[in-house]
């Protein structure tokens, strides 16, 4: 991810009352967005140079929704932000992989060996261990999701300029005006039919770069179950482990 973590913007009294609420400045952000993570952590993503008062007003407008989501997600995970996985389950491809940690000198690296994921390196450097897992997640998602996307596009007679996999925090996918599809690596943790729907959704944007009535009609023609799948995708962050998004 290219977004940088800025010093926390002053949230007046909000940070003192809600210590789990964080503000992250992203050079990619064009507007303010809010995310509630499994466990109830809240992140406000803002464009560079956003004033504290603007953030306060945004939070005030969405406070009710945020609190409802916090309560919904508060008990969805039991892991701490610093925890590391013993098993990784990719629902998208029906695969489960045990993780073995080998303490050694050097920067931690993750690689598959003999049917398990081995993380080898200085295990005391927890942030670097998580980064190793995240790099492996990106690599695996790239090899699994992009061929799948290409197959779905060919099956529906749709095309795109290029595709990329990123570890996004606020979107499952996106389509640029140039026809570039960006797919979230965390889709690997979602059910296969939900992933398929996300692909259809983004491919439909290559025809209609909006959420107009014509766009949704195209989505419905390509995926008649889109209503239920869209609701499931909106709740999809509860399937994503903390290490993958922290």
């Amino acid at each position: 991810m290219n977004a940088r973590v800025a010093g926390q913007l002053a949230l007046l009294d909000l940070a003192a009352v809600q210590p789990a609420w964080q503000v992250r400045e992203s050079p990619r952000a064009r507007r303010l967005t809010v995310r509630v993570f499994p466990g109830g952590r809240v992140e406000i993503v803002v464009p560079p140079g956003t004033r504290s008062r603007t953030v306060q007003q945004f939070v005030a407008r969405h406070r009710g929704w945020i609190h409802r989501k916090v309560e919904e997600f508060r008990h969805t995970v039991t892991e701490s932000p610093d925890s590391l996985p013993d098993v990784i389950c990719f629902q998208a491809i029906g695969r489960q992989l045990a993780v073995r940690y080998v303490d050694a000198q050097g920067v931690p690296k993750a690689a598959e060996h003999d049917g398990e994921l081995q993380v080898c390196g200085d295990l005391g450097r927890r942030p670097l261990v998580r980064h190793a897992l995240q790099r492996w997640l990106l690599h695996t998602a790239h090899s699994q999701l992009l061929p799948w996307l290409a197959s779905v596009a060919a099956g529906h007679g749709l095309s795109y300029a290029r595709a990329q996999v990123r570890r996004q925090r606020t979107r499952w996918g996106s389509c640029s005006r140039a026809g570039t599809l960006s797919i979230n690596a965390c889709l690997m943790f979602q059910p296969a039919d939900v992933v398929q729907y996300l692909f259809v959704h983004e491919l439909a944007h290559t025809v209609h770069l909006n959420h107009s009535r014509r766009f949704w009609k195209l989505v419905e023609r390509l995926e008649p179950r889109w209503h239920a799948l869209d609701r499931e995708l909106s709740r999809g962050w509860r399937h994503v482990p903390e290490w993958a998004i922290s």
Side-chain angles (χ1 to χ4, degrees):
M1 182 181 304
N2 292 327
R4 63 184 177 87
V5 177
Q8 293 229 350
L9 297 180
L11 280 179
L12 301 181
D13 295 331
L14 182 61
V17 177
Q18 301 284 359
W21 291 30
Q22 299 176 336
V23 177
R24 180 171 61 86
E25 185 181 281
S26 169
R28 293 180 178 273
R30 296 294 177 265
R31 57 188 176 87
L32 280 75
T33 58
V34 58
R35 275 279 319 283
V36 180
F37 292 88
R41 180 165 62 88
V42 177
E43 181 180 74
I44 314 295
V45 181
V46 305
T50 302
R51 295 185 302 173
S52 174
R53 182 173 179 81
T54 301
V55 179
Q56 281 287 337
Q57 293 170 341
F58 175 82
V59 169
R61 289 197 303 272
H62 298 281
R63 185 183 296 275
W65 180 90
I66 294 171
H67 279 298
R68 288 195 298 273
K69 286 296 181 181
V70 167
E71 289 305 311
E72 179 183 342
F73 281 9
R74 189 183 300 280
H75 304 295
T76 56
V77 295
T78 57
E79 60 181 322
S80 70
D82 198 43
S83 65
L84 298 174
D86 296 319
V87 176
I88 294 175
C89 181
F90 288 145
Q91 289 193 73
I93 58 174
R95 188 181 184 205
Q96 185 168 293
L97 201 62
V99 185
R100 184 162 68 93
Y101 298 93
V102 180
D103 201 8
Q105 292 183 345
V107 176
K109 296 182 179 180
E112 293 183 43
H113 294 287
D114 299 326
E116 68 178 7
L117 180 65
Q118 294 184 10
V119 182
C120 184
D122 185 351
L123 301 182
R125 304 170 74 179
R126 283 300 181 95
L128 294 183
V129 175
R130 287 199 302 276
H131 289 163
L133 288 168
Q134 291 163 0
R135 287 194 299 271
W136 171 80
L137 169 62
L138 278 170
H139 174 78
T140 304
H142 187 278
S143 66
Q144 296 292 327
L145 296 179
L146 293 192
W148 188 355
L149 172 64
S151 176
V152 173
H156 291 302
L158 297 171
S159 61
Y160 50 90
R162 69 186 188 94
Q164 61 184 359
V165 174
R166 297 168 53 207
R167 195 173 55 87
Q168 297 155 295
R169 291 180 180 230
T170 58
R171 295 182 179 182
W172 290 112
S174 63
C175 176
S176 74
R177 292 188 178 278
T180 296
L181 301 187
S182 295
I183 304 300
N184 196 320
C186 292
L187 284 168
M188 294 292 291
F189 301 104
Q190 308 306 312
D193 56 350
V194 173
V195 178
Q196 185 97 355
Y197 161 68
L198 184 280
F199 290 164
V200 165
H201 184 111
E202 297 308 331
L203 287 166
H205 277 311
T206 64
V207 181
H208 304 291
L209 196 61
N210 50 42
H211 286 108
S212 64
R213 183 175 300 179
R214 288 188 300 172
F215 167 81
W216 289 115
K217 283 187 175 181
L218 175 58
V219 170
E220 186 163 21
R221 179 169 64 82
L222 299 176
E223 177 46 80
R225 298 184 302 134
W226 78 267
H227 285 282
L229 294 171
D230 191 73
R231 286 194 297 271
E232 181 65 24
L233 184 61
S234 71
R235 299 189 293 264
W237 290 105
R238 68 183 64 192
H239 300 307
V240 181
E242 182 72 24
W243 64 263
I245 52 179
S246 60

